[in-house]
Amino acid sequence: MHVVIDGRFVLDEADLQRRLAGALGYGPYYRQDLDDLRDRLCAGDPRPLQLVWIHAASLRMAIGGPVFDRYVKTLEEIEAADNGRGWPDRFVFRIFE
């Protein structure tokens, strides 16, 4: 699965979460927060997954610098953990300006 989030169109963190939930197929029991996103991605749901953020500076402005940094740190940690497991179907996270 290949998911692209274009930061130019994200309004705030709640909007980012709605976009992620829709793209990843998370249903009504998804809490739409970073903790639940982390829990699901750490459990391998879904794989393979390439999550790409484009126009990241706009996304940073929309959700705020500290929140953006928490997301990036969390997603990079999940990517590193997948690499360490040697899974053939992994999570890949990329950011582009």
Side-chain angles (χ1 to χ4, degrees):
M1 175 183 293
H2 185 78
V3 174
V4 177
I5 300 294
D6 188 332
R8 296 174 298 176
F9 303 109
V10 175
L11 303 174
D12 54 23
E13 184 181 8
D15 185 43
L16 172 63
Q17 281 291 335
R18 281 189 297 275
R19 291 170 187 272
L20 289 168
L24 300 173
Y26 294 160
Y29 298 106
Y30 179 58
R31 292 188 315 261
Q32 296 196 9
D33 62 27
L34 182 56
D35 291 335
D36 201 13
L37 178 65
R38 182 194 62 238
D39 292 347
R40 288 170 185 252
L41 291 176
C42 284
D45 180 23
R47 293 294 189 279
L49 172 61
Q50 182 175 34
L51 175 60
V52 179
W53 285 2
I54 61 174
H55 302 283
S58 296
L59 180 58
R60 175 186 281 277
M61 284 181 18
I63 67 175
V67 173
F68 179 89
D69 292 343
R70 280 197 310 270
Y71 273 84
V72 169
K73 180 179 183 225
T74 299
L75 295 170
E76 287 176 342
E77 288 171 353
I78 295 166
E79 180 181 30
D82 267 23
N83 287 335
R85 290 185 180 110
W87 290 351
D89 295 330
R90 294 189 206 133
F91 172 72
V92 176
F93 176 60
R94 299 289 178 258
I95 301 175
F96 298 100
E97 289 303 317

